[in-house]
């Protein structure tokens, strides 16, 4: 069993408050039995993206920053992995990033949001990421292959598909937006069609434009509901309400691995030689917005 703590919080007034609140939340997650603690999107600023380029750069942190170092130190002390999110110092503009720190205090994966929300002026100020890395995370439950998406990434089937093709078993999804029926359906679908576990952590109600409802889906769409009878099943492991809290999602890894060996989804029956249009830049003109990033 792999236990992922969803740190459904509201941000403090400044990065210093967020650091202290985040460290305290990680300690509580460990006390609950977590193997991984997952933050909502861009925790160090509380998803605040300044319009002033100088202020924006000043609020960004790098891999050697005190902010990241504090979580590396704590992860080692707690013997627990931490997926911490932050505005990353990067040129020419900062990035929206999550770093997965293992239980030994080492950063094993850093992912920057690929599908920045360029329809909104706020995220146009950021540099998009350039790939979907997957890392093998050493946990008390054994090694597990982990990837990440951030918020708007979930709306592109390619994000989870590429992570699955690289071996991801669990996908961590920091989030900062209202989670409603259709967005939750996207996450359920990404889990189902790729046979992966997906853990999403949103800000609690009270954070601007957020409403909690952090979720976890185990990706196993069929199961034995009674001896000898296999039917469709609910893949939802956990759905939080709106309130602040730490919610523990328990992923049955060995069952998921066995399911991936036996079922027909994921990479089992794909026909990639027919999907060339998906990898090309040419798109039918009626579907290209004038503000589309090249």
């Amino acid at each position: 069993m792999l236990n992922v703590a969803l740190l459904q919080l509201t941000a403090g007034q400044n990065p210093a408050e967020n650091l202290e609140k985040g460290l305290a939340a990680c300690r509580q997650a460990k006390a609950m039995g977590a193997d991984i603690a997952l933050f909502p999107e861009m925790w160090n600023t509380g998803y605040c993206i300044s319009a002033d380029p100088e202020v924006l750069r000043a609020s960004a942190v790098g891999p050697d920053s005190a902010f990241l170092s504090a979580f590396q130190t704590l992860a080692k002390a707690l013997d627990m992995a931490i997926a911490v999110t932050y505005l990353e110092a990067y040129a020419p503009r900062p990035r929206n990033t999550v770093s997965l720190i293992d239980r030994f205090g080492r950063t094993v994966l850093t992912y920057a949001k690929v599908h920045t929300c360029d329809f909104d002026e706020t995220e146009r100020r950021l540099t998009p990421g350039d790939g979907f890395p997957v890392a093998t995370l050493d946990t008390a439950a054994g090694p597990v292959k982990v990837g990440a998406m951030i918020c708007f990434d979930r709306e592109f089937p390619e994000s989870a598909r590429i992570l699955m093709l690289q071996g991801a078993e669990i996908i961590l999804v920091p989030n900062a937006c209202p989670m409603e029926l259709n967005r939750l359906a996207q996450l359920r679908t990404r889990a189902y069609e790729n046979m992966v576990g997906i853990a999403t952590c949103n800000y609690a109600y009270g954070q601007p434009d957020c409403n909690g409802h952090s979720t976890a889906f185990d990706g196993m769409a069929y199961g034995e509901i009674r001896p000898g009878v296999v039917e469709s099943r609910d893949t939802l492991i956990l759905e939080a309400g709106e309130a602040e809290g730490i919610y523990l999602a328990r992923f049955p890894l060995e069952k998921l691995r066995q399911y991936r060996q036996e079922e027909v989804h994921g990479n089992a029956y794909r026909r990639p030689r027919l999907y060339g249009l998906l990898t090309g830049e040419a798109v039918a003109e009626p579907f290209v917005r004038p503000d589309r990033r090249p």
Side-chain angles (χ1 to χ4, degrees):
M1 195 71 68
L2 180 77
N3 298 327
V4 181
L6 310 178
L7 309 184
Q8 183 171 288
L9 307 172
T10 54
Q13 298 300 308
N14 54 61
E17 284 189 24
N18 291 338
L19 175 59
E20 291 307 311
K21 187 170 185 175
L23 294 173
C26 287
R27 294 186 187 99
Q28 186 177 343
K30 175 62 179 181
M32 294 170 64
D35 296 299
I36 305 172
L38 174 62
F39 280 90
E41 186 175 5
M42 209 185 296
W43 174 250
N44 76 311
T45 69
Y47 194 75
C48 178
I49 304 172
S50 176
D52 184 325
E54 293 302 319
V55 174
L56 184 64
R57 279 192 290 270
S59 58
V61 297
D64 299 322
S65 64
F67 180 82
L68 267 293
S69 294
F71 285 102
Q72 289 169 332
T73 299
L74 184 64
K76 184 175 181 179
L78 295 178
D79 192 38
M80 178 188 74
I82 300 174
V84 62
T85 60
Y86 55 101
L87 181 66
E88 180 192 6
Y90 196 82
R93 300 177 302 278
R95 302 197 301 185
N96 182 344
T97 297
V98 57
S99 284
L100 180 60
I101 302 165
D102 72 10
R103 63 194 180 113
F104 307 107
R106 305 172 301 200
T107 299
V108 296
L109 179 149
T110 293
Y111 168 71
K113 186 175 185 177
V114 167
H115 300 103
T116 47
C117 298
D118 293 347
F119 53 83
D120 180 81
E121 184 179 350
T122 305
E123 283 206 2
R124 288 185 197 172
R125 302 170 191 145
L126 305 180
T127 299
D130 56 7
F132 294 93
V134 170
T136 300
L137 181 68
D138 184 318
T139 76
V144 55
K145 289 189 175 294
V146 180
M149 306 186 295
I150 297 178
C151 201
F152 192 47
D153 284 327
R154 77 176 169 272
E155 306 209 7
F156 297 84
E158 296 85 354
S159 305
R161 183 67 89 195
I162 290 171
L163 290 170
M164 178 275 294
L165 290 173
Q166 295 183 103
E169 299 172 288
I170 301 292
I171 299 176
L172 305 176
V173 188
N175 196 80
C177 71
M179 294 307 295
E180 42 71 48
L181 177 67
N182 295 304
R183 287 171 174 152
L184 293 174
Q186 287 172 335
L187 293 163
R188 182 188 291 273
T189 302
R190 298 292 90 81
Y192 158 64
E193 67 194 3
N194 292 295
M195 299 191 292
V196 295
I198 295 185
T200 302
C201 184
N202 195 28
Y203 284 96
Y205 179 80
Q207 186 80 11
D209 205 33
C210 294
N211 67 338
H213 291 279
S214 299
T215 54
F217 296 93
D218 65 21
M220 295 182 288
Y222 308 102
E224 191 173 61
I225 60 169
R226 56 184 181 274
V229 179
V230 176
E231 289 186 3
S232 179
R233 60 180 291 277
D234 191 351
T235 63
L236 181 69
I237 296 174
L238 177 151
E239 180 177 351
E242 295 184 337
E244 272 198 289
I246 297 174
Y247 301 89
L248 197 66
R250 302 179 184 276
F251 288 91
L253 271 183
E254 291 309 315
K255 285 186 178 180
L256 175 59
R257 287 166 177 161
Q258 184 65 33
Y259 180 86
R260 286 159 67 107
Q261 292 295 317
E262 298 172 351
E263 270 299 341
V264 300
H265 310 296
N267 196 34
Y269 294 98
R270 294 173 65 248
R271 299 288 185 264
R273 67 182 184 83
L274 302 178
Y275 307 156
L277 184 61
L278 295 177
T279 61
E281 285 296 314
V283 181
E285 285 302 317
F287 299 96
V288 179
R289 287 173 54 107
D291 60 353
R292 179 175 179 267
R293 186 187 294 273

